[in-house]
Amino acid sequence: DQQVKQNSPSLSVQEGRISILNCDYTNSMFDYFLWYKKYPAEGPTFLISISSIKDKNEDGRFTVFLNKSAKHLSLHIVPSQPGDSAVYFCAASEDKLIFGTGTRLQVFP
Amino acid sequence: DTGVSQDPRHKITKRGQNVTFRCDPISEHNRLYWYRQTLGQGPEFLTYFQNEAQLEKSRLLSDRFSAERPKGSFSTLEIQRTEQGDSAMYLCASSLARGLAHEQFFGPGTRLTVL
C-alpha cells in the first residue's frame, strides 16, 4: 500500500506563474517530510523539508505547507522558471525515506 | 567533488549473471542507504547502514541481494543470479544520523539492464 501519494502525475505551468505540487500521506506518525527534484539520468536533489511541528517552511522561491489534520503537504514554487522543469518527489522520513510516485512539472515560456 | 559517487553508472548484463555496484558516500556521513527506482515510480528503500552495521533491510531485498559496508565508508550492493525484473536504477544516498539531519544526499545512480 502506498503510504505517500502524489496523485497528479504531471503539471504544466507558464513561466512566472505559481506551481503547486501536492502530496498526501496515510501514516499520522510521520513527523518529517522532504521534497526532492529529479532530472533524467541524475539522482534526486534535496529541495526543502518540513517538520511536523511547523505548518510552513520557506526557502527562496520554494515554500512547503503542511496540513497535519488533512495529512497533506504541498510545494509552492513562485515564480516558476523553465529550469524548474523536472520530476518532483515528496517523501516522508522514517530513518529511511518513503517516496511518492512523483509529479512531472513542465514550465513553458 | 565531495558528493555521493556511484560506480558504474550503467551496467548491462545477461540474466543469471552476478553484478556488484559500489557507492562512496559523503565522507563525514555515517549513514548510507540503498534505494531502487523503476520507471514511473519513486525510489523504494532497500537497506541502510549506520557506520558498518546494517540496521534495516526491506522485504524487497530478496536473498539474491546482499549489501556490505565493511569499514563504515564505501558500500557494495551485489545481486546474484540477476533476473529481468532486477532492471532498475539503483540509488545510493548518505546522511548524518537522524536527530542531526534527515536530509539524504543522493548519488547519480547505477542503471542496471538485465537482458
Side-chain angles (χ1 to χ4, degrees), chain A residues 37-51:
Chain A
K37 173 180 176 180
K38 189 177 185 301
Y39 293 117
E42 295 184 10
T45 301
F46 170 72
L47 268 179
I48 191 168
S49 61
I50 189 165
S51 165

PDB file of all heavy atoms in Angstrom, chain A residues 37-51:
ATOM      1  N   LYS A  37      13.890  16.957  -6.104  1.00  0.00           N
ATOM      2  CA  LYS A  37      13.739  17.242  -7.533  1.00  0.00           C
ATOM      3  C   LYS A  37      14.651  16.293  -8.284  1.00  0.00           C
ATOM      4  O   LYS A  37      15.779  16.036  -7.848  1.00  0.00           O
ATOM      5  CB  LYS A  37      14.163  18.693  -7.749  1.00  0.00           C
ATOM      6  CG  LYS A  37      14.248  19.187  -9.156  1.00  0.00           C
ATOM      7  CD  LYS A  37      14.679  20.662  -9.087  1.00  0.00           C
ATOM      8  CE  LYS A  37      14.892  21.263 -10.426  1.00  0.00           C
ATOM      9  NZ  LYS A  37      15.296  22.690 -10.309  1.00  0.00           N
ATOM     10  N   LYS A  38      14.167  15.777  -9.405  1.00  0.00           N
ATOM     11  CA  LYS A  38      14.994  14.817 -10.144  1.00  0.00           C
ATOM     12  C   LYS A  38      14.977  15.133 -11.627  1.00  0.00           C
ATOM     13  O   LYS A  38      13.911  15.194 -12.249  1.00  0.00           O
ATOM     14  CB  LYS A  38      14.503  13.389  -9.898  1.00  0.00           C
ATOM     15  CG  LYS A  38      15.451  12.325 -10.472  1.00  0.00           C
ATOM     16  CD  LYS A  38      14.971  10.940 -10.156  1.00  0.00           C
ATOM     17  CE  LYS A  38      15.994   9.887 -10.618  1.00  0.00           C
ATOM     18  NZ  LYS A  38      16.262   9.956 -12.059  1.00  0.00           N
ATOM     19  N   TYR A  39      16.188  15.295 -12.168  1.00  0.00           N
ATOM     20  CA  TYR A  39      16.354  15.398 -13.618  1.00  0.00           C
ATOM     21  C   TYR A  39      16.665  14.012 -14.163  1.00  0.00           C
ATOM     22  O   TYR A  39      17.167  13.147 -13.437  1.00  0.00           O
ATOM     23  CB  TYR A  39      17.510  16.334 -13.962  1.00  0.00           C
ATOM     24  CG  TYR A  39      17.279  17.776 -13.602  1.00  0.00           C
ATOM     25  CD1 TYR A  39      18.088  18.417 -12.664  1.00  0.00           C
ATOM     26  CD2 TYR A  39      16.274  18.532 -14.209  1.00  0.00           C
ATOM     27  CE1 TYR A  39      17.901  19.753 -12.350  1.00  0.00           C
ATOM     28  CE2 TYR A  39      16.083  19.857 -13.891  1.00  0.00           C
ATOM     29  CZ  TYR A  39      16.902  20.460 -12.959  1.00  0.00           C
ATOM     30  OH  TYR A  39      16.715  21.781 -12.641  1.00  0.00           O
ATOM     31  N   PRO A  40      16.375  13.775 -15.452  1.00  0.00           N
ATOM     32  CA  PRO A  40      16.695  12.470 -16.051  1.00  0.00           C
ATOM     33  C   PRO A  40      18.169  12.126 -15.883  1.00  0.00           C
ATOM     34  O   PRO A  40      19.030  13.001 -15.975  1.00  0.00           O
ATOM     35  CB  PRO A  40      16.343  12.673 -17.532  1.00  0.00           C
ATOM     36  CG  PRO A  40      15.355  13.784 -17.541  1.00  0.00           C
ATOM     37  CD  PRO A  40      15.738  14.688 -16.411  1.00  0.00           C
ATOM     38  N   ALA A  41      18.438  10.870 -15.629  1.00  0.00           N
ATOM     39  CA  ALA A  41      19.801  10.332 -15.531  1.00  0.00           C
ATOM     40  C   ALA A  41      20.602  10.927 -14.369  1.00  0.00           C
ATOM     41  O   ALA A  41      21.838  10.849 -14.360  1.00  0.00           O
ATOM     42  CB  ALA A  41      20.570  10.533 -16.839  1.00  0.00           C
ATOM     43  N   GLU A  42      19.926  11.538 -13.396  1.00  0.00           N
ATOM     44  CA  GLU A  42      20.593  12.033 -12.207  1.00  0.00           C
ATOM     45  C   GLU A  42      19.875  11.505 -10.976  1.00  0.00           C
ATOM     46  O   GLU A  42      18.719  11.105 -11.034  1.00  0.00           O
ATOM     47  CB  GLU A  42      20.592  13.562 -12.166  1.00  0.00           C
ATOM     48  CG  GLU A  42      21.395  14.218 -13.269  1.00  0.00           C
ATOM     49  CD  GLU A  42      21.431  15.725 -13.126  1.00  0.00           C
ATOM     50  OE1 GLU A  42      21.003  16.245 -12.078  1.00  0.00           O
ATOM     51  OE2 GLU A  42      21.880  16.385 -14.083  1.00  0.00           O
ATOM     52  N   GLY A  43      20.567  11.530  -9.838  1.00  0.00           N
ATOM     53  CA  GLY A  43      19.906  11.191  -8.598  1.00  0.00           C
ATOM     54  C   GLY A  43      19.034  12.330  -8.106  1.00  0.00           C
ATOM     55  O   GLY A  43      19.195  13.474  -8.543  1.00  0.00           O
ATOM     56  N   PRO A  44      18.098  12.055  -7.203  1.00  0.00           N
ATOM     57  CA  PRO A  44      17.263  13.122  -6.644  1.00  0.00           C
ATOM     58  C   PRO A  44      18.110  14.156  -5.892  1.00  0.00           C
ATOM     59  O   PRO A  44      19.102  13.806  -5.255  1.00  0.00           O
ATOM     60  CB  PRO A  44      16.342  12.370  -5.673  1.00  0.00           C
ATOM     61  CG  PRO A  44      16.368  10.949  -6.120  1.00  0.00           C
ATOM     62  CD  PRO A  44      17.727  10.729  -6.686  1.00  0.00           C
ATOM     63  N   THR A  45      17.688  15.407  -5.994  1.00  0.00           N
ATOM     64  CA  THR A  45      18.360  16.506  -5.305  1.00  0.00           C
ATOM     65  C   THR A  45      17.424  17.079  -4.248  1.00  0.00           C
ATOM     66  O   THR A  45      16.278  17.411  -4.556  1.00  0.00           O
ATOM     67  CB  THR A  45      18.733  17.620  -6.307  1.00  0.00           C
ATOM     68  OG1 THR A  45      19.580  17.062  -7.308  1.00  0.00           O
ATOM     69  CG2 THR A  45      19.457  18.765  -5.609  1.00  0.00           C
ATOM     70  N   PHE A  46      17.916  17.190  -3.032  1.00  0.00           N
ATOM     71  CA  PHE A  46      17.100  17.726  -1.939  1.00  0.00           C
ATOM     72  C   PHE A  46      16.734  19.178  -2.202  1.00  0.00           C
ATOM     73  O   PHE A  46      17.570  19.991  -2.597  1.00  0.00           O
ATOM     74  CB  PHE A  46      17.862  17.610  -0.621  1.00  0.00           C
ATOM     75  CG  PHE A  46      17.231  18.341   0.519  1.00  0.00           C
ATOM     76  CD1 PHE A  46      16.056  17.867   1.085  1.00  0.00           C
ATOM     77  CD2 PHE A  46      17.778  19.519   1.001  1.00  0.00           C
ATOM     78  CE1 PHE A  46      15.462  18.551   2.130  1.00  0.00           C
ATOM     79  CE2 PHE A  46      17.186  20.205   2.041  1.00  0.00           C
ATOM     80  CZ  PHE A  46      16.025  19.724   2.602  1.00  0.00           C
ATOM     81  N   LEU A  47      15.452  19.508  -1.969  1.00  0.00           N
ATOM     82  CA  LEU A  47      14.979  20.882  -2.177  1.00  0.00           C
ATOM     83  C   LEU A  47      14.672  21.581  -0.868  1.00  0.00           C
ATOM     84  O   LEU A  47      15.209  22.635  -0.555  1.00  0.00           O
ATOM     85  CB  LEU A  47      13.683  20.857  -2.975  1.00  0.00           C
ATOM     86  CG  LEU A  47      13.746  20.955  -4.477  1.00  0.00           C
ATOM     87  CD1 LEU A  47      12.341  20.888  -5.040  1.00  0.00           C
ATOM     88  CD2 LEU A  47      14.422  22.243  -4.914  1.00  0.00           C
ATOM     89  N   ILE A  48      13.751  21.005  -0.100  1.00  0.00           N
ATOM     90  CA  ILE A  48      13.238  21.668   1.088  1.00  0.00           C
ATOM     91  C   ILE A  48      12.561  20.625   1.959  1.00  0.00           C
ATOM     92  O   ILE A  48      12.117  19.590   1.459  1.00  0.00           O
ATOM     93  CB  ILE A  48      12.249  22.801   0.699  1.00  0.00           C
ATOM     94  CG1 ILE A  48      11.902  23.690   1.896  1.00  0.00           C
ATOM     95  CG2 ILE A  48      10.974  22.238   0.054  1.00  0.00           C
ATOM     96  CD1 ILE A  48      11.167  24.971   1.509  1.00  0.00           C
ATOM     97  N   SER A  49      12.515  20.885   3.258  1.00  0.00           N
ATOM     98  CA  SER A  49      11.896  19.931   4.176  1.00  0.00           C
ATOM     99  C   SER A  49      11.032  20.669   5.186  1.00  0.00           C
ATOM    100  O   SER A  49      11.069  21.893   5.287  1.00  0.00           O
ATOM    101  CB  SER A  49      12.971  19.121   4.893  1.00  0.00           C
ATOM    102  OG  SER A  49      13.813  19.963   5.656  1.00  0.00           O
ATOM    103  N   ILE A  50      10.247  19.896   5.930  1.00  0.00           N
ATOM    104  CA  ILE A  50       9.414  20.475   6.976  1.00  0.00           C
ATOM    105  C   ILE A  50       9.198  19.453   8.082  1.00  0.00           C
ATOM    106  O   ILE A  50       8.974  18.269   7.809  1.00  0.00           O
ATOM    107  CB  ILE A  50       8.072  20.992   6.406  1.00  0.00           C
ATOM    108  CG1 ILE A  50       7.312  21.780   7.471  1.00  0.00           C
ATOM    109  CG2 ILE A  50       7.219  19.848   5.858  1.00  0.00           C
ATOM    110  CD1 ILE A  50       6.179  22.622   6.900  1.00  0.00           C
ATOM    111  N   SER A  51       9.295  19.934   9.299  1.00  0.00           N
ATOM    112  CA  SER A  51       8.993  19.117  10.465  1.00  0.00           C
ATOM    113  C   SER A  51       7.513  19.246  10.800  1.00  0.00           C
ATOM    114  O   SER A  51       6.895  20.276  10.521  1.00  0.00           O
ATOM    115  CB  SER A  51       9.839  19.596  11.640  1.00  0.00           C
ATOM    116  OG  SER A  51       9.342  19.087  12.857  1.00  0.00           O
TER     117      SER A  51
END
